Amino acid sequence: MELTIALGIGVLFGSGVWLVLRPRSFQVLTGLLLMSYAVNLFIFVMGGLWVDKPPLTLAEDVDPAAYTDPLPQALVLTAIVIGFATTALYLVLMIGSRGVTGTDHVDGQEPDQ
Amino acid sequence: MSLAWTQHLVLVPVLLPLLCGSLLILLNESRHQLKFYINSASVLALLATALGLMWQIDANPEPGSMSVYLAANWSAPFGIALVADRLAALMLLLTAVMAACALLYSMLGWSRIGVHFHSLFQYLLMGLNGAFLTHDLFNLFVFFEVMLAASYGLVLHGYNLNRIRAGMQFIAINLVASLLFLIGVALLYAATGTLNMADLAGRAMDLAGPELNLLQLGAAVLAMAFLIKSAMWPLGFWLPTTYSAASPPVAVMFVLMTKVGVYAILRLWLLVFSSDAGEAAGFGFTALMWGGIATIVFGAAGMLASEVQGKLAGYGAIISSGTLLTAIGYGQSALIAPALFYLLSSTLAVAAFMLLIELIDRSRNPVQALLSVTMEAFGIEESPEQPVGKSIPAGFAFLGVAFALSGLIIAGLPPLSGFIAKFSLFHAVLNPGGNTELSLAGVVLIAVIVASGLAATLALMQFGARTFWASGSTTVRLRISEVIPIAALLSLCILMTTHASPLFAYIERVSDDLHQPGRYIERVLGQPVVPGVLGEEYP
């Protein structure tokens, strides 16, 4: 399981980095999204990988080892929301830039041929 | 039982801008005056709060005095703690002063060329203040995002082609930096199981082996995020373009944003990797030091090469960041106090310079086309470039004097505060105390800082000669609301020169607090919770 998740995160992040380095703004945006997915998974995994363990309980006198760490889950939730909002903002700017400059190149102009 | 109201003061710098910014959204864009007054009332209240906090903390003569606020009454490592110590109070004060100047400058022109300037301004202040106060790494991330989201809006304020181009790069780079921030925080959590900075520092002392490696890896990735903000070479190529594209009042606030990165590094590194941190001690200081030196060289070269005035100021900010990082990375406690003095002086001077550049530009080219896309789109008809306020006499003379003063401070020439900062820095490097001898790094540091001063002098002299001696026009119309902020920023620098002694005494106390992480950890983690409503004491 560890290997699968590690590979998954790696592939997502790697694809994201490649896309961010591309010249078209839509590719950059997609790259940022992929990278943020990878990071969210990464945070989630940092709490340790557990199968079939609930994150919270109200009962006292319990063995903490039987429960998974709830904090990374809370962090992921926050990170998703923030990442989503800032990426949406970038999308708006991208559309604005397309409208004003007439090109979707990240520099706002086509490179000289 | 509840806390005394003075203890709630720590929350004001975060809550007030949040409420005020939200209130300003509701007001119609056409009510410029009202919006401006509400915004300035909030900024003045923040100024008063910062002074109050500073006085309250410093009135306690014991070293390491601070005000710890446990959000929702959760004791320290579990909930989020807001900590106002001497350093945080100083940064809050600097933020409020800069905000007041930027706001006054924008009163008649810049705040009117787009929408929601005042709300975004308040949210930016909220993010900045929160980042200075919070003591939880993830909460720091949240405040960074608040600050960045507002800055994305502000960099595009007065939507034109230049700003869109700069904004595209600025936002993409900062989004990636935020992801790095998250990776760093996650790794630190994996290594220590905590996000509270004091708790993290306490646990880092006992780490060894693979967990220590994980901690160092996390800290290094986190530092990348901070160093992108503070524009360390080679992570700072975005800065000059963005600063010269942003409108001047926004650029002033951005000068402060580079200092947030430096602040975070200073706080975290002196706490977690201090000399009594066991095996983790001293991690990364060398990289900071040489990275800082590379940054200074890059900034100095950029200053000499830049043709556009806006970029000149941007490279000035890069030199300032580089000097600070070098001083922190040098790893000698005596350097921190001069570095903080330098931070205050250079931030104020670069900010004044940012504002001056626009006025100088106007003297060169009075019929400047400033129309932005938003003005057309939102049908804002007023043309802000026509001076509506009273213009002051001898405007050109004022520009010349102000330019000379800010140039002296940026280049670090006597007699002003820039010189005092650099002189005390060299003094600390040359007198390491004890039996330690001056190292090669110390010699390089002094040489590079002196050379960067020379480069700055040359670049500024060239610019000044072209502007003030070679230009035909000698008249310029300046508004009072544009002159006062520049005069205020420069007077503060002059005040820092004449009253350097009490300021240095305060900064020495700041530096002393920063170098006692043990006392710090004890104080934050030992903060008692308020007893519950039922009168029972929670553990």
Side-chain angles (χ1 to χ4, degrees), chain B residues 63 130 146 149 159 167 186 194 220 238 301 373 397 413 423 425-426 440 455 479 493 509:
Chain B
V146 171
Y159 213 54
T194 182
W238 57 270
V373 180
L413 295 177
F423 183 80
L425 201 65
F426 293 166
L440 173 71
R479 296 175 208 128
C493 287
R509 289 197 288 277

Side-chain angles (χ1 to χ4, degrees), chain A residues 2-66:
Chain A
E2 281 83 356
L3 187 67
T4 320
I5 290 199
L7 280 176
I9 294 175
V11 168
L12 269 179
F13 202 82
S15 322
V17 169
W18 188 74
L19 280 172
V20 161
L21 299 175
R22 303 292 300 161
R24 302 285 152 203
S25 49
F26 185 72
Q27 291 169 322
V28 174
L29 184 85
T30 320
L32 285 169
L33 277 174
L34 287 183
M35 280 167 81
S36 73
Y37 294 155
V39 169
N40 289 339
L41 277 174
F42 183 77
I43 300 174
F44 195 68
V45 168
M46 280 301 117
L49 286 172
W50 309 102
V51 177
D52 269 355
K53 285 186 181 174
L56 282 173
T57 175
L58 290 174
E60 293 180 15
D61 305 328
V62 291
D63 175 19

Side-chain angles (χ1 to χ4, degrees), chain B residues 56-287:
Chain B
Q56 184 189 330
I57 294 162
D58 208 40
N60 188 347
E62 75 175 270
S65 113
M66 61 177 79
S67 174
V68 181
Y69 190 91
L70 301 175
N73 206 22
W74 285 69
S75 63
F78 303 111
I80 290 170
L82 295 175
V83 176
D85 59 354
R86 290 192 172 97
L87 177 60
L90 187 67
M91 296 305 286
L92 288 180
L93 185 63
L94 181 66
T95 310
V97 167
M98 302 267 286
C101 292
L103 186 61
L104 184 59
Y105 187 87
S106 70
M107 178 170 88
L108 291 173
W110 289 104
S111 65
R112 300 186 185 184
I113 62 163
V115 288
H116 294 309
F117 174 81
H118 294 293
S119 308
L120 289 170
F121 194 83
Q122 286 291 314
Y123 290 136
L124 183 70
L125 286 180
M126 176 194 168
L128 283 165
N129 289 342
F132 292 136
L133 285 174
T134 186
H135 204 62
D136 180 278
L137 279 177
F138 198 79
N139 196 226
L140 183 67
F141 167 75
V142 173
F143 280 124
F144 259 70
E145 287 305 305
V146 171
M147 174 181 93
L148 287 172
S151 77
Y152 299 157
L154 283 174
V155 75
L156 294 170
H157 178 72
Y159 213 54
N160 66 17
L161 196 57
N162 244 342
R163 299 200 176 113
I164 291 175
R165 279 187 193 151
M168 289 280 279
Q169 291 160 10
F170 175 68
I171 296 179
I173 288 169
N174 275 298
L175 286 176
V176 174
S178 303
L179 295 176
L180 289 176
F181 196 137
L182 279 174
I183 296 177
V185 168
L187 283 169
L188 286 182
Y189 181 74
T192 59
T194 182
L195 289 171
N196 182 294
M197 292 185 203
D199 198 26
L200 181 79
R203 288 171 188 231
M205 289 178 188
D206 310 323
L207 286 185
E211 290 198 316
L212 180 65
N213 293 340
L214 205 57
L215 175 88
Q216 291 176 334
L217 191 64
V221 176
L222 194 60
M224 290 274 284
F226 295 145
L227 292 174
I228 289 177
K229 301 280 177 303
S230 52
M232 183 173 97
W233 185 87
L235 306 170
F237 298 121
W238 57 270
L239 190 142
T241 326
T242 313
Y243 279 29
S244 59
S247 51
V250 174
V252 165
M253 295 315 286
F254 278 19
V255 174
L256 201 55
M257 272 174 58
T258 55
K259 302 299 181 284
V260 181
V262 175
Y263 169 88
I265 294 263
L266 181 67
R267 163 124 305 169
L268 210 60
W269 248 252
L270 291 187
L271 194 61
V272 179
F273 300 110
S274 63
S275 50
D276 45 355
E279 282 193 52
F283 171 73
F285 279 95
T286 323

Side-chain angles (χ1 to χ4, degrees), chain A residues 50-88:
Chain A
W50 309 102
V51 177
D52 269 355
K53 285 186 181 174
L56 282 173
T57 175
L58 290 174
E60 293 180 15
D61 305 328
V62 291
D63 175 19
Y67 291 86
T68 179
D69 187 349
L71 193 72
Q73 308 190 4
L75 300 186
V76 165
L77 204 59
T78 320
I80 290 174
V81 174
I82 291 178
F84 186 70
T86 46
T87 315

